């Protein structure tokens, strides 16, 4: 069957990608297998107390790939991973690369059971990797029970809840010797990620190995990463940032450390124990690291070669504190649709680290377009819509050609919805966001979904989900509400209603703002920006739902 690109480059563009070296002939699995031949016993992956050599990593990938084939999966079939950060996810991603399957690691612990089941239905799940209790409202094994009847489903791999157990312990019927020759292709779609879109259902972003490797090679080259680099991603594989970090480590043949330890463990202790050189996370991870350094009385920390902070806007005071601590900060920027194409460079000044999101990787370009006329470039130095074009761009949205085309302007540039400027040296400075997503510590909250579910409460006339600034998380969700005449409801009743409607507890509003009137624009849409402005100037004060 296979997935069909809905935003595919034409033949001339594709040839240009290959000619420039942005795209290549190797799959990600090919790269891994090459390392296993050149340095079979060198460490490749640390998972818990176990270290996998490159040879052992390839054997684990081949065993899982052989088992998928034995279960009846064919090239183009979709593998879903509903599990926390585990070695099995690495094996699944690389088995997809090996044989042309499509791996979807999107089911995150923040997603509800209903949302995960809907993803599986939409993308014709053929194999599902299940960890007990995975999902915001999951108790144990609801997901396997709900997807067993899918016509596309061939097998469910039910993992042990014992994190000390061997990966896929007792659930594989094949071994590495049963695998046929690799049949992957770097231009096939092998990665599917469902994003939290600003409107409607989440969109399924499709990538090939080639489109995913562009940013990984760019970052590795700019920072001089090599086979001695030890990489740790604090972001899970359910986020594009986590997968992109894995690709960066695999490209250079370094050692990748899985973040699979219990919450509450010391981040510094794990960094030191594993000898981490390259750390990747969201701004809240940076704040946690700074807090631990402060608690230990450490004013300078030179263990790290680079700390990439991405997925959400990094507050200037956080970037400044990292820089002042002696940590080389690599502020990043990108989207699931474009991968992490921006990065700061070694030796960037304090002002560049604090105020910009770095430069673009080779093979991808940025331009700024007029926010009111996206087909026209903005004058140099002025803020406008950030647009991108190049080899790192997605191959479209799954089964939604129009959604992809709607993001492209007349000259073929993908419009991100973010606002920014680019200086004469190519550094991007973000100035705002045209889209409305609420980004809470790297987690996207869809305000439209929150509003839609809230409005099903009979006492509510109008609601507006808006971001409230937060020093630690960047933003938190606030629900501004206007009641029907003669009606009222407590915040506890509204939260209970949202839970009944299936809203993930990770998307729940943490503030609410009862209003006598919600302003409307001439077209009848809510004037959210006016509410946000009043909150920021203090004329409106949201009430915390719980202590924050």
């Amino acid at each position: 069957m296979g997935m069909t690109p809905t935003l595919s480059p034409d033949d001339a563009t594709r040839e240009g990608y290959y000619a420039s070296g942005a795209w290549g002939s190797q799959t990600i699995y090919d790269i891994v297998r090459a390392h296993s031949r050149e340095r079979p016993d060198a460490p490749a992956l640390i998972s818990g107390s176990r270290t996998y050599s490159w040879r052992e990593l390839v054997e684990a990938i081949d065993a899982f790939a052989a088992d998928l084939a034995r279960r009846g999966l064919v090239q183009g079939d979709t593998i879903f991973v509903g599990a926390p950060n585990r070695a099995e996810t690495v094996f699944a991603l690389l088995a997809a690369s090996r044989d042309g399957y499509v791996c979807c690691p999107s089911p995150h612990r923040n997603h509800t059971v209903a949302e995960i089941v809907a993803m599986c239905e939409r993308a014709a799940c053929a194999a599902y990797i299940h960890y007990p209790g995975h999902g915001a409202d999951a108790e144990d094994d609801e997901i396997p029970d709900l997807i067993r009847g899918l016509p596309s489903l061939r097998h469910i791999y039910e993992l042990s809840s014992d994190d000390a157990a061997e990966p896929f312990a007792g659930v594989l019927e094949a071994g590495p010797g049963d695998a046929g020759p690799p049949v992957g292709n770097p231009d096939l779609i092998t990665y599917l990620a469902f994003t939290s879109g600003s409107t409607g259902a989440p969109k399924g972003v499709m990538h090939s190995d080639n489109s995913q490797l562009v940013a990984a090679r760019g970052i590795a080259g700019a920072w001089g990463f090599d086979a001695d680099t030890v990489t740790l991603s604090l972001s899970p594989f359910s986020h594009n940032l986590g997968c992109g970090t894995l690709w960066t480590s695999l490209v250079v043949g370094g050692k990748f450390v899985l973040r699979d330890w219990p919450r509450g463990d010391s981040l510094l202790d794990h960094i030191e124990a594993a000898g981490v050189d390259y750390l990747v996370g969201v701004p809240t991870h940076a704040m946690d690291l700074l807090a631990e350094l402060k608690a230990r009385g450490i004013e300078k920390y030179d263990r790290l070669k680079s700390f990439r902070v991405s997925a959400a806007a990094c507050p200037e005071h956080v970037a400044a504190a990292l820089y002042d601590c002696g940590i080389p900060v690599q502020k990043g920027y990108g989207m699931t649709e474009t991968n992490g194409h921006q990065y700061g460079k070694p030796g960037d000044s304090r002002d560049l680290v604090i105020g910009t999101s770095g430069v673009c990787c080779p093979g991808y370009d940025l331009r700024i377009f007029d926010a009111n006329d996206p087909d026209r470039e903005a004058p140099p130095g002025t803020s406008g819509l950030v647009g991108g074009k190049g080899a790192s761009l997605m191959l479209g949205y799954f089964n939604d050609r129009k959604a992809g085309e709607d993001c492209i302007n007349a000259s073929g540039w993908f419009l991100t919805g973010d606002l920014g400027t680019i200086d004469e040296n190519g550094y991007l400075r973000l100035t705002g966001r045209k889209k409305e997503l609420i980004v809470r510590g790297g987690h996207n909250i869809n305000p439209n979904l929150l509003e839609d579910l809230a409005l099903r409460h009979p006492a509510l006339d109008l609601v507006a989900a808006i971001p409230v600034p937060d020093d630690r998380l960047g933003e938190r969700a606030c629900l501004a509400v206007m009641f029907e005449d003669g009606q009222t409801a407590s915040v506890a009743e509204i939260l209970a209603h949202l839970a009944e409607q299936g809203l993930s507890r990770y998307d729940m509003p943490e503030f609410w703002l009862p209003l006598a009137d919600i302003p409307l624009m001439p077209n009848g849409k809510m004037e959210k920006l006016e509410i946000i402005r009043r909150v920021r100037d203090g004329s409106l004060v949201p009430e915390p739902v719980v202590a924050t």
Side-chain angles (χ1 to χ4, degrees):
M1 157 180 151
M3 287 194 177
T4 303
T6 58
L7 202 64
S8 183
D10 58 32
D11 289 343
T13 301
R14 186 190 305 273
E15 289 173 8
Y17 293 164
Y18 273 98
S20 68
W23 283 11
S25 60
Q26 286 185 310
T27 64
I28 300 173
Y29 173 82
D30 289 337
I31 293 170
V32 171
R33 190 167 62 164
H35 292 315
S36 76
R37 288 171 174 167
E38 295 165 4
R39 301 158 50 240
D41 298 321
L45 175 70
I46 297 179
S47 176
S49 60
R50 174 162 182 184
T51 298
Y52 289 83
S53 68
W54 288 103
R55 174 180 50 78
E56 291 169 330
L57 178 58
V58 168
E59 288 174 352
I61 299 162
D62 287 352
F64 183 56
D67 201 78
L68 291 169
R70 181 166 292 190
R71 307 286 184 182
L73 272 74
V74 297
Q75 192 170 88
D77 279 348
T78 309
I79 310 161
F80 275 77
V81 184
N85 263 22
R86 292 173 61 103
E88 288 94 342
T89 310
V90 177
F91 305 158
L93 286 162
L94 291 168
S97 171
R98 183 191 193 280
D99 289 332
Y101 301 118
V102 181
C103 186
C104 179
S106 286
H108 189 269
R109 63 182 179 85
N110 290 11
H111 287 119
T112 64
V113 168
E115 288 170 336
I116 293 172
V117 170
M119 289 181 204
C120 292
E121 291 174 344
R122 282 180 62 189
C125 173
Y128 189 88
I129 300 173
H130 172 68
Y131 183 85
H134 192 71
D137 55 353
E139 294 181 2
D140 192 24
D141 293 324
E142 302 97 319
I143 292 172
D145 291 341
L146 290 168
I147 67 173
R148 276 188 219 282
L150 292 180
S152 59
L153 189 71
R154 297 290 177 268
H155 191 66
I156 298 174
Y157 294 91
E158 301 199 39
L159 306 181
S160 168
S161 59
D162 180 4
D163 292 336
E166 282 291 302
F168 289 122
V171 300
L172 298 186
E173 295 181 351
D178 299 316
V183 293
N185 180 307
D187 293 338
L188 290 175
I189 293 168
T190 52
Y191 174 80
L192 175 69
F194 284 96
T195 67
S196 299
S198 58
T199 58
K203 299 183 182 74
V205 177
M206 301 184 292
H207 276 288
S208 67
D209 282 17
N210 262 331
S211 65
Q212 292 182 92
L213 285 171
V214 176
R217 291 188 177 114
I219 292 170
W223 284 85
F225 298 151
D226 56 25
D228 294 324
T229 302
V230 181
T231 299
L232 167 62
S233 174
L234 301 175
S235 290
F237 294 128
S238 54
H239 289 177
N240 180 258
L241 181 60
C243 289
T245 308
L246 174 63
W247 308 147
T248 304
S249 183
L250 296 179
V251 161
V252 300
K255 183 165 60 176
F256 187 85
V257 182
L258 270 177
R259 188 205 181 284
D260 54 5
W261 57 78
R263 290 191 172 206
D265 274 17
S266 163
L267 174 56
L268 271 177
D269 287 350
H270 282 286
I271 289 173
E272 293 292 333
V276 173
D277 303 298
Y278 180 38
L279 183 66
V280 178
V282 301
T284 49
H285 296 138
M287 295 176 197
D288 291 342
L289 178 61
L290 287 167
E292 191 168 357
L293 289 170
K294 182 177 180 180
R296 296 192 183 190
I298 300 173
E299 296 182 358
K300 291 292 181 181
Y301 190 66
D302 59 4
R303 160 78 255 176
L304 298 173
K305 185 173 183 178
S306 177
F307 185 3
R308 179 175 175 84
V309 184
S310 193
C314 183
E316 290 190 356
H317 72 278
V318 173
L322 290 170
Y323 184 93
D324 293 342
C325 237
I327 298 173
V329 186
Q330 184 202 135
K331 276 174 65 179
Y333 170 74
M335 304 169 63
T336 305
E337 288 88 339
T338 63
N339 294 296
H341 53 76
Q342 295 292 123
Y343 49 82
K345 297 192 293 186
D348 278 347
S349 69
R350 190 176 190 272
D351 287 345
L352 284 174
V353 166
I354 293 171
T356 76
S357 294
V359 298
C360 211
C361 66
Y364 200 73
D365 295 307
L366 289 187
R367 288 188 188 173
I368 303 298
F369 295 88
D370 190 312
N372 297 312
D373 182 6
D375 292 329
R376 185 172 69 87
E377 280 195 56
T382 62
S383 179
L385 276 172
V386 179
K389 180 191 284 189
S392 187
L393 184 63
M394 66 174 177
L395 300 180
Y397 293 118
F398 173 66
N399 274 0
D400 198 343
R401 183 177 299 277
K402 184 177 184 303
E405 292 172 346
D406 287 348
C407 298
I408 305 293
N409 71 3
S411 50
W413 293 79
F414 176 82
L415 301 174
T416 65
D418 291 312
L419 303 172
T421 63
I422 300 175
D423 69 17
E424 63 277 9
N425 295 313
Y427 281 81
L428 172 69
R429 187 180 300 269
L430 295 173
T431 58
R433 188 169 71 240
K434 191 172 183 181
K435 56 189 178 182
E436 295 183 337
L437 285 178
I438 299 168
V439 184
R440 183 192 188 278
H443 170 61
N444 291 344
I445 297 174
N446 184 342
N448 302 79
L449 174 64
L450 183 50
E451 292 164 3
D452 177 66
L453 297 181
L455 279 173
R456 298 177 189 178
H457 193 289
L460 297 179
D461 181 22
L462 288 174
V463 299
I466 61 170
V468 172
D470 184 87
D471 287 342
R472 171 173 167 73
L473 296 170
E475 295 175 341
R476 295 180 188 263
C478 171
L479 193 67
V481 301
M482 188 172 81
F483 293 106
E484 294 275 4
D485 289 341
Q487 297 282 331
T488 189
S490 69
V491 65
E493 290 170 333
I494 293 172
L495 293 177
H497 164 78
L498 291 170
E500 291 171 0
Q501 295 296 314
L503 185 70
S504 168
R505 70 179 186 270
Y506 296 96
D507 293 347
M508 287 288 178
E510 296 176 86
F511 291 85
W512 83 316
L513 182 63
L515 296 173
D517 178 62
I518 289 182
L520 301 178
M521 294 186 288
N523 61 8
K525 293 184 178 180
M526 291 181 292
E527 181 61 271
K528 290 186 184 181
L529 291 178
E530 178 62 18
I531 302 173
I532 293 170
R533 185 191 67 78
R534 293 181 190 177
V535 168
R536 287 179 176 168
D537 70 17
S539 57
L540 291 175
V541 182
E543 302 171 20
V545 170
V546 294
T548 58

